[in-house]
Amino acid sequence: MTSTDPLVSTEWLAANLGKPNVRVVDGTSKLPGILPLPKDDYLARHIPGAVFFDVDAVSDHSNPLPHMFPSAEQFGRDVGALGIGNDDTVVVYDSGGWTAGPRVWWMFLSFGKDVRILNGGLKKWVAEGRKVESGQATPKPATFKAAFDARRVRSMEQLVANLSSRAEQVIDARSNERYQGKAAEPRAGLRSGHIPGSLSLPFNKLFDSATGEMKSLEELRAAFAAAGVKLDAPIVTSCGSGISAAVLTLALYRLGVENPALYDGSWTEWGAAGGPPVATGPT
């Protein structure tokens, strides 16, 4: 069982902001074509002292799929350039729609660093009238030594093998319309539908859209139960490109699920033309 809830409150961050070992990270991301770009949003307004973690930059540039996990060496180098060391207390946030904050948290955890996530993100921070700033932060580079834990990520080959073994439950974080194949994918050229045998739990069912806060543990547990998920059996989360799947992963982690994994390539890989089998319709 996991022992620590990764979420911290805006009150906690406000009380600890500016301490020498506290590092704040803006991990906001958006789907391709949506403007302004996340980096431009960051430059216009962010929590004081926050650095911008670009999930597309901190990724495997040799892989044509979007923002795939980089090597441990690259992750350590890129994170160190953001002024983050192994002994720092790191708080990750996003715009408040859970758009990539959990992905950045899961990347840190996968590379050996336990970090925190701001519950409600920038949305709640601003709604409470807390201070923000603009412009580019210029942190002093630090040393970050990363070690990759392969248990936390799944490949397409592993998911294909799982079609027969059904050893792991696969949960799809996309909208149910996309899961059923009723809505076109936002990325061109992808087939519609879902991984055969996977379950549907849209990530936006796990947080309060009004406040940006993640729902209570009781509500999270009920949402997974309603989706047919067994919390005492192995779980892999998936989505469009490995971003919103981490919202499910975070919720599972908060519920004490041991080592939930994330399918990094997600539907961008699985749904490509000529890929593995695709199912449509309800669960």
Side-chain angles (χ1 to χ4, degrees), residues 119-138:
N119 196 13
L122 185 63
K123 180 175 184 174
K124 188 170 189 290
W125 183 270
V126 170
E128 293 171 345
R130 301 188 187 276
K131 185 179 178 181
V132 295
E133 65 182 16
S134 61
Q136 177 72 53
T138 54

Side-chain angles (χ1 to χ4, degrees), residues 96-149:
W98 296 96
T99 49
R103 165 73 182 202
V104 177
W105 160 76
W106 194 242
M107 291 181 73
F108 269 101
L109 202 59
S110 298
F111 286 106
K113 174 68 175 173
D114 192 9
V115 304
R116 300 290 175 259
I117 299 181
L118 181 63
N119 196 13
L122 185 63
K123 180 175 184 174
K124 188 170 189 290
W125 183 270
V126 170
E128 293 171 345
R130 301 188 187 276
K131 185 179 178 181
V132 295
E133 65 182 16
S134 61
Q136 177 72 53
T138 54
K140 180 182 178 180
T143 299
F144 188 95
K145 294 182 179 180
F148 180 57
D149 184 352

Side-chain angles (χ1 to χ4, degrees), residues 159-174:
L159 268 291
V160 168
N162 193 63
L163 292 177
S164 299
S165 70
R166 297 298 169 97
E168 296 181 310
Q169 303 167 94
V170 180
I171 318 173
D172 193 323
R174 298 174 300 156

Side-chain angles (χ1 to χ4, degrees), residues 171-189:
I171 318 173
D172 193 323
R174 298 174 300 156
S175 71
N176 192 256
E177 290 75 17
R178 289 171 65 188
Y179 169 89
Q180 292 199 45
K182 294 180 177 180
E185 287 297 306
R187 289 180 171 84

